[in-house]
Amino acid sequence: MNFLENKKRLLAAALISTLAFGTLQSVGATTIQNAKDKINETNQNLDEVNRKIDDIERQQNGLQNEIDALDSELVNLLLDISILEDEIDLKTQAIEKATQDLEIAQEQADTQYEQMKSRIRFMYERGDNVMIEALLGAGSMADFLNRVEYFNQIYDYDRNMLDEYKETIAQVATLKQNLELEQQEMVALLENQEHQSQELKKLLDSKRATMSDFDTKLAQAENLAKQYKETIRQQNEIIVAEQARIAREEERRRQEEERRRREEEERRRQEQLAAANNNNNNNNNTSNESGGDDSQLTGGSDPAYATNISGQEVVDFAKQFIGNPYVWGGTSLTNGCDCSGFVMSVFAHFGISLPHSSLALRSCGREVSYNNAKPGDLICYSGHVAIYIGGGRIVGAQSTAVGIATQNATYRQILSVRRVL
């Protein structure tokens, strides 16, 4: 009876231990599964944040390229403004020189006029006696004729000099007027370029503000990604800790089972010895009944034309819009356009695509020497471009004050002549 009771107690203890370990394993498995589920969810969130970070960085790169291009355009525009200011200074000096020349010519004309009046007055006050006396005082016919010729020469001299001074005054006045008109056109162009620079600066400020917003969003996304990574790290630590705890519990249970087994073996051995002393048959039965527990644990030229389009046809088409307004940034030949917008729209009519930038147009087509320029060629200046119409003239959108008009092709320094036909 004692043997049977002890065996029941052993089986009950083993059963309780197994049930307890099973409960611990179940709790541990649930904890690990919850951590893995949390990791999967966090990984999905992290992937989404990383995609957002990549998208922000792509937008930043694109925006930075735009900012770099605008910076380059602004630098070129400021350089054009500086060049134009120097040209205006030279025009101002030329106007001042023409004004001085005009004053000198006027003074010379006035002096000549006064001298002529003095001689006429002298001859009038003295009457014809002076001339008669001079003529009668001649010693010979040749001397007489020489004296008559002398009086005629004095009159012709006064008259010619006065006419010459008047012509000089008219020429200098015309020169001054032309210089002043060219200066007005250049000042208007300067105003347009300064307006462009202000608009570019505003656009750059806006782009940089957007870049700042992207920086903030990127920092927020990176911070969120950092939090997600920390969550994954913590959950991994939970899994590792739980697995270690389960391993420790399993080892503790194994050791506990081993201890019970040894205790049971020792108890059985003692019982067997006691029974052997009483009955060898009982000892054999006890040995047969006491089988061991089997439970176990487990990355200068003149290139040929390349098109069949006539340059004169381009010029004739462009001249239709003379008188229409100048609008900065515009491309409408009727409602308003700037210099490069005018060139782009005229050539677009003939199926030729050109950029909307006076700077970029300097690199279009092929270089032509000015001496070989033909109607339809592009004449490029600093911050300006127009279409050559022949005879030393150009047509283009000049300024808000003038609009679309023709003018002298050499009114300022030519940087390049391009043939795009």
Side-chain angles (χ1 to χ4, degrees):
M1 290 297 294
N2 290 335
F3 172 72
L4 292 175
E5 289 176 358
N6 289 333
K7 188 170 184 179
K8 288 178 181 178
R9 286 197 300 270
L10 181 60
L11 290 173
L15 181 60
I16 292 171
S17 178
T18 301
L19 290 173
F21 182 69
T23 301
L24 290 173
Q25 279 189 320
S26 177
V27 172
T30 300
T31 301
I32 291 174
Q33 187 59 48
N34 289 340
K36 288 182 177 179
D37 291 343
K38 185 68 175 177
I39 288 174
N40 290 334
E41 179 184 355
T42 305
N43 271 324
Q44 291 176 2
N45 293 335
L46 181 59
D47 289 342
E48 179 63 28
V49 171
N50 284 332
R51 283 193 294 270
K52 185 178 293 184
I53 289 174
D54 291 341
D55 184 58
I56 292 173
E57 289 177 341
R58 280 194 299 271
Q59 293 182 65
Q60 279 184 313
N61 291 334
L63 185 58
Q64 187 61 54
N65 290 335
E66 292 180 22
I67 290 175
D68 292 342
L70 288 172
D71 275 331
S72 177
E73 185 176 352
L74 180 59
V75 168
N76 288 318
L77 184 57
L78 293 176
L79 178 61
D80 289 343
I81 289 174
S82 177
I83 293 173
L84 189 56
E85 287 175 341
D86 292 340
E87 292 180 353
I88 291 175
D89 288 341
L90 292 176
K91 289 291 182 184
T92 301
Q93 295 174 14
I95 291 172
E96 291 176 354
K97 178 64 169 58
T99 301
Q100 294 174 359
D101 292 344
L102 182 61
E103 292 175 353
I104 293 172
Q106 186 65 56
E107 289 175 359
Q108 290 176 341
D110 292 342
T111 300
Q112 180 64 24
Y113 181 65
E114 290 299 325
Q115 291 176 353
M116 185 178 70
K117 286 197 303 182
S118 296
R119 282 190 288 271
I120 292 173
R121 185 181 301 111
F122 173 76
M123 294 174 65
Y124 175 78
E125 290 175 351
R126 297 290 304 273
D128 294 335
N129 293 331
V130 174
M131 183 179 294
I132 293 172
E133 290 175 359
L135 294 175
L136 293 177
S140 65
M141 180 58 68
D143 186 23
F144 176 81
L145 293 174
N146 286 335
R147 294 189 181 195
V148 171
E149 182 64 22
Y150 171 74
F151 282 109
N152 289 334
Q153 288 177 354
I154 291 176
Y155 174 78
D156 291 340
Y157 171 79
D158 286 335
R159 187 66 185 180
N160 291 335
M161 288 299 294
L162 186 59
D163 290 342
E164 183 178 339
Y165 285 132
K166 286 181 179 179
E167 182 179 354
T168 300
I169 291 171
Q171 291 176 351
V172 175
T174 299
L175 174 61
K176 179 182 177 184
Q177 182 180 6
N178 291 337
L179 289 172
E180 288 175 343
L181 179 59
E182 291 176 357
Q183 184 189 46
Q184 290 173 2
E185 293 175 353
M186 295 173 75
V187 168
L189 178 58
L190 178 62
E191 291 175 353
N192 289 330
Q193 291 183 335
E194 289 176 341
H195 174 71
Q196 292 178 36
S197 69
Q198 293 300 321
E199 292 298 322
L200 280 175
K201 289 176 181 177
K202 290 179 182 178
L203 185 56
L204 276 170
D205 289 341
S206 174
K207 296 288 185 183
R208 290 190 176 109
T210 302
M211 180 65 81
S212 178
D213 291 341
F214 279 141
D215 290 339
T216 301
K217 291 179 180 178
L218 182 61
Q220 292 173 346
E222 289 176 341
N223 184 58
L224 189 58
K226 183 178 179 181
Q227 294 176 12
Y228 286 145
K229 290 177 181 178
E230 178 62 20
T231 298
I232 292 173
R233 186 191 66 78
Q234 291 174 355
Q235 296 304 313
N236 280 323
E237 287 183 352
I238 290 173
I239 292 173
V240 171
E242 192 63 23
Q243 288 173 338
R245 186 188 67 79
I246 292 174
R248 287 194 301 270
E249 288 295 332
E250 183 177 351
E251 178 62 21
R252 186 191 63 77
R253 177 179 175 278
R254 187 190 67 76
Q255 291 176 357
E256 182 66 19
E257 289 291 330
E258 180 67 19
R259 183 185 64 79
R260 288 197 192 99
R261 185 183 66 78
R262 289 175 181 174
E263 288 178 353
E264 181 60 20
E265 286 180 351
E266 179 62 23
R267 183 186 59 77
R268 283 198 302 243
R269 188 179 68 81
Q270 292 297 332
E271 288 179 350
Q272 287 173 357
L273 287 174
N277 292 330
N278 297 323
N279 192 316
N280 287 331
N281 292 331
N282 290 337
N283 184 56
N284 290 332
N285 292 335
T286 302
S287 290
N288 292 331
E289 292 174 1
S290 62
D293 187 1
D294 293 331
S295 61
Q296 297 179 354
L297 302 175
T298 59
S301 61
D302 186 13
Y305 287 91
T307 70
N308 293 323
I309 300 171
S310 167
Q312 190 59 50
E313 288 181 5
V314 172
V315 169
D316 292 341
F317 177 77
K319 290 168 68 175
Q320 297 179 72
F321 306 101
I322 292 175
N324 288 345
Y326 178 104
V327 175
W328 181 75
T331 58
S332 173
L333 296 173
T334 55
N335 297 326
C337 57
D338 58 15
C339 62
S340 58
F342 174 78
V343 171
M344 182 186 74
S345 297
V346 167
F347 280 86
H349 176 76
F350 295 92
I352 297 177
S353 178
L354 296 177
H356 188 186
S357 167
S358 58
L359 178 63
L361 286 168
R362 295 182 200 170
S363 302
C364 292
R366 289 158 296 171
E367 181 70 25
V368 184
S369 64
Y370 177 70
N371 291 336
N372 292 319
K374 294 181 176 60
D377 289 342
L378 303 184
I379 308 296
C380 302
Y381 310 85
S382 176
H384 186 58
V385 65
I387 300 173
Y388 189 64
I389 62 178
R393 304 286 292 176
I394 56 175
V395 61
Q398 294 182 24
S399 64
T400 52
V402 179
I404 298 174
T406 63
Q407 66 180 141
N408 193 330
T410 58
Y411 82 102
R412 53 187 297 213
Q413 182 183 2
I414 296 175
L415 298 182
S416 180
V417 180
R418 312 299 300 183
R419 180 160 295 160
V420 296
L421 294 179

